[in-house]
Amino acid sequence: MAADQRGKAATLALRRRLLSNSCRLFFPEDPIKIVRGQGQYMYDEQGAEYIDCINNVAHVGHCHPLVVQAAHEQNQVLNTNSRYLHDNIVDYAQRLSETLPEKLCVFYFLNSGSEANDLALRLARQYTGHWDVVVLDHAYHGHLSSLIDISPYKFRDLDGQKEWVHVAPLPDTYRGPYREDHPNPAVAYASEVKRVVSSAQEKGRKLQGEDFVPDIVTMGKSIGNGHPVACVATTQAVARAFEATGVEYFNTFGGSPVSCAVGLAVLDVLEKEQLQAHAACVGSFLMELLGQQKAKHPILGDIRGVGLFIGVDLIKDEATRMPATEEANYVVSRYFFLETSCLCSVHCSDWERAPLLPLLFDPRPQTCWAHRVQPVPSLSSHFNQDNTKAAGALRPRQPQACISQPQAA
């Protein structure tokens, strides 16, 4: 509890002394010290409230009460490794199997997505007898050495591309080789993958499989809502090939009773609160609002996404589509964590519909958040300053727009 009373400056000084500089902070020019989370909200040491627009781990919201309760109750009874017989691990595997194609029926439990992807490589290599991998450009698969080797996002700055790694172009219809004016960009990008595979085969390399249903699926991060749990699902054939080595696969706390209790609770919340449909509904509403802004502001080049996974491409010039890097850095610094008193710089002309849409997960029952936002000056106004003031421009400013308080549903 003593650490909770430490000031932000003291915490930052200790971090700089004890942790590597390669372990980076968000907003390094003015780091935020977060001490509590609830639902979509996070709170700093001063009690300031933020909407978390970054986190891809708290899948059903920070500290969801059902998930916390499941972990607490199981922790009070037993938490040990998966070599003992226990119901939680088989119950969790069965629940996961109901969400996957029928042939994906063998499960391995681990602690992280990196571990899951590393095991998937081992399974594939044992089953096929080959090392070759096709990946998309800019892909990142984890922090283990085996995964850095197949992650263009990382290996281009390190040891370079291995001969058994084959990179296909990212299917980007805004900046890629096949754009929105192409008659069938999906087929074109699929053909690029086929070309990469054919080229590898011509060089004597081997690649496996033509069936659309995958042989291996990995899951990490969000299936535990922040608890360290991950999973690999595969077929009986792949699993048997792996077992034929005679080498045991063991992960000390992969599939522990607590981890599986948490995973089951996350699935319960996803189903009971219909969060997939919710994300589709709110994401569609947000995409509509962003589309209205795109029509008004030339800096918005492209808006794309599915559900609440949405990207906005900022550009300097519509013809060349040159990235607006400085402006993007400003937006990242200013708006990724959004104080609820200064939500964002968008304006909707039709707010009669807004109160009917809950914005994000809210643990309080019968509550709906309607964010009414007034217009603010264009982003470009923030960059008409002398370059010596650029660093200061990246720091949060007092808002010129506010949102309403929560409305009862």
Side-chain angles (χ1 to χ4, degrees):
M1 292 299 293
D4 293 344
Q5 306 302 317
R6 184 181 290 121
K8 184 171 78 170
T11 302
L12 180 60
L14 279 172
R15 181 179 174 112
R16 286 173 173 168
R17 179 164 64 88
L18 298 171
L19 274 67
S20 167
N21 288 335
S22 62
C23 302
R24 297 179 181 176
L25 284 164
F26 287 130
F27 321 110
E29 73 281 355
D30 186 13
I32 299 173
K33 183 178 181 180
I34 295 297
V35 298
R36 185 168 68 88
Q38 184 66 51
Q40 71 269 39
Y41 298 103
M42 302 183 81
Y43 302 85
D44 68 16
E45 82 286 0
Q46 301 296 323
E49 186 178 68
Y50 301 83
I51 297 177
D52 185 357
C53 295
I54 297 177
N55 207 307
N56 63 341
V57 179
H59 201 47
V60 297
H62 292 283
C63 301
H64 192 289
L66 294 182
V67 178
V68 172
Q69 180 183 3
H72 175 64
E73 290 180 354
Q74 185 57 54
N75 258 318
Q76 289 183 307
V77 179
L78 175 71
N79 191 25
T80 188
N81 66 63
S82 58
R83 278 180 165 150
Y84 295 102
L85 195 62
H86 198 276
D87 283 338
N88 284 8
I89 192 170
V90 293
D91 288 344
Y92 189 32
Q94 185 172 19
R95 285 284 299 280
L96 287 173
S97 71
E98 294 167 0
T99 70
L100 295 167
E102 185 177 358
K103 75 173 191 175
L104 293 168
C105 58
V106 182
F107 294 84
Y108 300 82
F109 290 99
L110 315 93
N111 300 304
S112 70
S114 289
E115 287 187 352
N117 287 341
D118 180 75
L119 176 58
L121 282 177
R122 290 177 60 190
L123 290 169
R125 288 166 178 168
Q126 180 62 34
Y127 180 65
T128 65
H130 305 294
W131 276 56
D132 290 75
V133 177
V134 175
V135 298
L136 292 178
D137 202 1
H138 306 293
Y140 171 68
H141 299 285
H143 60 79
L144 300 181
S145 296
S146 62
L147 305 176
I148 296 297
D149 284 345
I150 63 169
S151 300
Y153 171 69
K154 293 292 186 180
F155 68 57
R156 285 181 176 143
D157 292 327
L158 295 171
D159 297 331
Q161 183 174 340
K162 302 290 192 296
E163 63 176 3
W164 43 267
V165 176
H166 314 282
V167 180
L170 184 71
D172 180 356
T173 57
Y174 187 68
R175 296 186 182 280
Y178 308 107
R179 301 187 174 185
E180 67 276 6
D181 57 351
H182 192 279
N184 199 332
V187 171
Y189 280 110
S191 297
E192 284 293 321
V193 176
K194 185 176 181 179
R195 179 189 60 78
V196 169
V197 171
S198 298
S199 175
Q201 290 174 334
E202 290 170 3
K203 297 175 183 177
R205 313 301 305 187
K206 304 295 184 178
L207 294 141
Q208 178 75 21
E210 297 179 355
D211 195 352
F212 178 76
V213 178
D215 295 301
I216 305 171
V217 169
T218 63
M219 294 162 265
K221 285 190 176 181
S222 55
I223 65 171
N225 207 52
H227 184 88
V229 59
C231 181
V232 174
T234 190
T235 67
Q236 287 284 359
V238 173
R240 289 195 186 104
F242 191 63
E243 293 160 7
T245 64
V247 177
E248 176 193 19
Y249 179 79
F250 176 63
N251 191 302
T252 303
F253 278 99
S256 74
V258 171
S259 294
C260 292
V262 167
L264 285 163
V266 171
L267 289 176
D268 287 339
V269 173
L270 286 170
E271 293 174 4
K272 291 177 181 178
E273 299 184 8
Q274 301 179 38
L275 293 186
Q276 286 178 300
H278 180 83
C281 177
V282 179
S284 176
F285 181 68
L286 181 55
M287 289 281 282
E288 182 181 339
L289 295 185
L290 291 169
Q292 294 173 12
Q293 296 305 303
K294 184 177 183 296
K296 300 175 185 178
H297 303 290
I299 194 174
L300 299 180
D302 189 38
I303 299 165
R304 54 189 178 270
V306 176
L308 284 171
F309 190 65
I310 297 172
V312 179
D313 205 322
L314 304 186
I315 58 172
K316 290 183 177 294
D317 179 80
E318 187 174 2
T320 64
R321 301 184 177 182
M322 179 183 293
T325 304
E326 184 183 3
E327 292 85 344
N329 286 335
Y330 174 84
V331 172
V332 168
S333 177
R334 178 66 179 84
Y335 293 117
F336 261 14
F337 269 95
L338 304 173
E339 285 192 74
T340 56
S341 61
C342 52
L343 180 59
C344 57
S345 59
V346 299
H347 172 64
C348 177
S349 60
D350 182 10
W351 283 108
E352 294 305 313
R353 296 177 300 137
L356 302 178
L357 290 172
L359 182 61
L360 290 172
F361 164 79
D362 194 317
R364 290 164 286 191
Q366 305 302 318
T367 302
C368 176
W369 286 88
H371 296 285
R372 300 193 177 206
V373 188
Q374 300 302 317
V376 299
S378 169
L379 274 176
S380 60
S381 65
H382 294 295
F383 302 98
N384 296 330
Q385 306 178 38
D386 184 89
N387 288 338
T388 59
K389 300 179 180 179
L394 296 179
R395 297 178 63 84
R397 308 188 326 155
Q398 288 298 317
Q400 299 184 41
C402 296
I403 64 169
S404 67
Q405 295 301 311
Q407 305 289 324

